Amino acid sequence: MIDGQIRQILKEHARLAIDLAALDDAADLYQAGMTSHASVNVMLALEGNFDVEFPDRMLKRKVFESVDSIRQALSELMAN
Amino acid sequence: MTNAKISPFVAIARSIGAEVAGVHATAVDRDARFPSESIKALKEHRMLSAYVPKSLGGGGATLGELVLACEALSQHCTSTAMIFAMHQIQVISILRHASDSPWFLEYIRDLVANQNLIASVTSEVGVGGEMRSSVCGLQWEGQSFKLIKHATTISYGAQADDLLVTSRCTPDGPASDQVLSLVRKADYTLEQQGVWDTMGMRGTCSPPFKLTATGKKDQVISTPFAAIASETMVPVSHLLWAGCWLGIAGAAVNKARAFVRMQGRARPGSIPPTALRLAEVASELHMLRASVDSVLREYEYLIAAEGGSADELSSMPYALKINNLKVAGSRKLPEIVSQALLICGIMGYKNDSKFSMSRHLRDAHSGALMVGNDRILATNSSMLLVLKDE
Ligand SMILES: Cc1cc2nc3c(=O)[nH]c(=O)nc-3n(C[C@H](O)[C@H](O)[C@H](O)COP(=O)(O)OP(=O)(O)OC[C@H]3O[C@@H](n4cnc5c(N)ncnc54)[C@H](O)[C@@H]3O)c2cc1C
């Protein structure tokens, strides 16, 4: 379920150059065309949707580079 | 300078600055010509491979030493200093991201032996100063590529030996999925598309060019440009540019100091009114120097640390800091030079006076637009929507 929401947010905000549905969970979103600017919008939408705040230490490329890495970061925050 | 022991690189930069760059600075500025004498001297002293590790035949300089070398050159000729800075940025990017590649290792050896000067081709017609976006892409045929790039500004493009160029991985890939390739003089042509007749930084000779280049797969750095930019190119650029800016500010303030001393000596016993303004501008210069020092120290600490440093360097809190150095420094610089001009009064305003501020002030204004400050502030403002703590 969480994956579906992540993908919906990416669809609305990541502004990928290719179809998100064609990407697997491990695929690199930056290579798929997500700009740094678009990644901020993704972060904001994730924070709003899941009612979490990414601490500054999580605000690095690696954390937002794939559906997998985003899911992992969200699970860590929601477990607390 | 409080350093007990002066770095040999800084000592060389000082002497080339005073004895070569300074001698030709007025002509370089007036004629908007390449400072060939000082670049030749830098090559002769093997300064173009200063940062290359000793194990590869280079000088083994630290980034801090290069910042001071830029400052020393810039006191006398900022165009020379900026050319030196831009070349070092290219060398450092190669060393930090491609030194596991046999082709690039061979290239570095060649650079050490021949003191090749590398120019940077990031800006492009259609994207302006947005370094993280390219219109052009590598056109592949087997293991070989062809690239055509309409570059808005290539400093010393005509004088460089080699070019480091950003592009998309392929012509129809995403604009932000970029790579960095080194193309060699024998394999490219540059068609100049306009002139370089600017307010300042005239000796950098940076007109627009149409670049047509060919190369092999080995010449493309395998690390994505996104990582090279955030971990190395942006922080190193901002620090070395800041070194050049400190040189301009230092030269201007030194003239103001000499002027105030001259006034003081004319009437011993009374403090000239300009001394108050001098005290003020000296404190501004100290602030600028302190901010460069603190960012430099953190960068050197992060690259020296094993492991997580790349992560840290590509983090938002770090990007914000390194961008703040650029924006704050380039805003402060023309203020400092303008203050120094007011202190010297008409003697600073005259072009034929030893207190002339003209070149310093004109050069100083380039800082804010070498990647527009508003563009950088726009990036910062977007990051501040998610960054939480100071
Ligand atoms: C001395 C000198 C040497 C240079 N050497 C080189 C070189 O060797 N190689 C190279 O590739 N480039 C070089 N450049 C180019 C430089 O790096 C920039 O790319 C260029 O100066 C930016 O050009 P621009 O002002 O036309 O473009 P833009 O970046 O398009 O900016 C135009 C204006 O729009 C503003 N702006 C842009 N985006 C935004 C935004 N999102 N929000 C708010 N405002 C925005 C900017 O602040 C600016 O005021 C050099 C520049 C100088 C001054």
Side-chain angles (χ1 to χ4, degrees):
Chain A
M1 196 202 62
I2 171 169
D3 278 18
Q5 291 178 50
I6 295 172
R7 281 179 173 271
Q8 185 56 36
I9 285 168
L10 287 170
K11 201 171 147 200
E12 284 169 29
H13 301 286
R15 306 252 228 91
L16 300 184
I18 42 184
D19 186 9
L20 181 66
L23 286 183
D24 65 40
D25 286 358
D28 189 321
L29 297 168
Y30 292 103
Q31 261 167 35
M34 182 168 72
T35 62
S36 313
H37 187 72
S39 75
V40 168
N41 291 329
V42 169
M43 294 170 198
L44 286 170
L46 290 166
E47 289 190 334
N49 187 82
F50 292 99
D51 195 22
V52 291
E53 283 205 325
F54 294 108
D56 287 355
R57 68 177 166 80
M58 280 192 173
L59 298 177
K60 46 185 83 168
R61 284 182 81 80
K62 266 205 179 135
V63 174
F64 298 91
E65 90 193 340
S66 66
V67 173
D68 276 342
S69 61
I70 293 173
R71 183 196 321 106
Q72 202 184 326
L74 286 172
S75 323
E76 186 187 324
L77 289 179
M78 291 189 296
N80 296 333
Chain B
M1 205 46 29
T2 48
N3 296 22
K5 196 165 145 255
I6 291 181
S7 135
F9 305 101
V10 180
I12 291 171
R14 281 189 192 164
S15 77
I16 292 178
E19 291 155 28
V20 187
V23 174
H24 301 284
T26 303
V28 163
D29 177 54
R30 184 191 57 222
D31 304 336
R33 72 154 174 89
F34 185 69
S36 46
E37 301 86 352
S38 45
I39 301 304
K40 183 164 170 275
L42 287 166
K43 289 186 174 194
E44 280 165 7
H45 284 84
R46 311 182 61 73
M47 287 289 276
L48 298 197
S49 55
Y51 191 83
V52 175
K54 286 193 170 145
S55 59
L56 293 173
T62 63
L63 186 64
E65 289 178 302
L66 294 185
V67 171
L68 289 174
C70 287
E71 178 181 355
L73 290 168
S74 180
Q75 289 223 352
H76 302 280
C77 173
T78 305
S79 288
T80 297
M82 190 52 85
I83 293 167
F84 178 74
M86 288 193 274
H87 165 81
Q88 301 298 342
I89 296 159
Q90 315 313 307
V91 174
I92 296 173
S93 297
I94 293 173
L95 285 167
R96 287 194 49 80
H97 299 280
S99 54
D100 55 352
S101 137
W103 192 89
F104 276 100
L105 273 184
E106 195 47 44
Y107 177 75
I108 289 294
R109 291 208 176 87
D110 188 68
L111 182 143
V112 170
N114 299 308
Q115 297 291 300
N116 306 338
L117 179 66
I118 314 176
S120 158
V121 191
T122 59
S123 310
E124 186 175 13
V125 175
V127 291
E130 169 54 285
M131 195 168 78
R132 287 290 292 101
S133 182
S134 288
V135 176
C136 66
L138 299 176
Q139 303 163 30
W140 290 98
E141 209 167 287
Q143 298 290 300
S144 303
F145 67 79
K146 183 177 176 193
L147 180 66
I148 296 175
K149 182 163 183 170
H150 294 273
T152 59
T153 330
I154 309 180
S155 292
Y156 52 97
Q159 292 81 13
D161 296 303
D162 301 300
L163 307 173
L164 206 53
V165 193
T166 51
S167 69
R168 299 184 190 187
C169 299
T170 58
D172 25 77
S176 61
D177 187 22
Q178 298 161 287
V179 283
L180 192 59
S181 312
L182 187 104
V183 292
R184 306 220 50 186
K185 189 135 193 145
D187 303 327
Y188 66 75
T189 54
L190 286 174
E191 292 164 62
Q192 195 170 325
Q193 307 285 303
V195 292
W196 179 253
D197 180 9
T198 47
M199 180 188 282
M201 302 305 287
R202 293 168 59 81
T204 61
C205 300
S206 320
F209 288 98
K210 178 185 171 193
L211 165 69
T212 308
T214 55
K216 295 264 187 312
K217 192 160 187 256
D218 291 347
Q219 291 167 245
V220 183
I221 299 181
S222 57
T223 310
F225 180 65
I228 301 175
S230 62
E231 291 166 34
T232 305
M233 203 175 255
V234 174
V236 170
S237 300
H238 292 184
L239 283 164
L240 293 181
W241 293 352
C244 296
W245 301 340
L246 280 174
I248 299 179
V253 171
N254 278 349
K255 286 179 180 173
R257 289 168 71 150
F259 182 82
V260 172
R261 286 200 306 275
M262 186 180 77
Q263 285 190 320
R265 283 196 290 262
R267 297 186 60 191
S270 67
I271 294 180
T274 50
L276 191 71
R277 290 293 181 208
L278 178 63
E280 189 179 52
V281 76
S283 90
E284 306 260 287
L285 176 54
H286 270 128
M287 294 278 283
L288 180 60
R289 185 178 299 286
S291 72
V292 178
D293 279 349
S294 81
V295 176
L296 173 65
R297 211 163 301 147
E298 183 172 1
Y299 185 76
E300 291 204 306
Y301 170 80
L302 287 174
I303 56 168
E306 293 296 324
S309 65
D311 235 30
E312 193 75 34
L313 290 167
S314 69
S315 73
M316 277 197 192
Y318 190 73
L320 188 73
K321 257 186 248 177
I322 207 80
N323 283 347
N324 284 341
L325 171 70
K326 153 60 167 96
V327 173
S330 62
R331 272 188 178 172
K332 190 47 81 186
L333 174 63
E335 281 176 32
I336 291 176
V337 182
S338 304
Q339 282 256 35
L341 166 64
L342 292 182
I343 290 169
C344 298
I346 196 73
M347 294 310 285
Y349 201 64
K350 284 186 173 180
N351 288 333
D352 61 349
S353 136
K354 65 177 176 180
F355 301 105
S356 171
M357 294 293 168
S358 173
R359 179 163 51 86
H360 302 315
L361 190 56
R362 290 181 288 105
D363 287 347
H365 279 294
S366 68
L369 51 118
M370 269 184 90
V371 182
N373 276 355
D374 276 358
R375 191 183 271 290
I376 295 178
L377 284 175
T379 304
N380 283 4
S381 57
S382 140
M383 293 195 289
L384 284 164
L385 293 176
V386 284
L387 276 170
K388 278 103 200 163
D389 303 312
E390 180 49 54

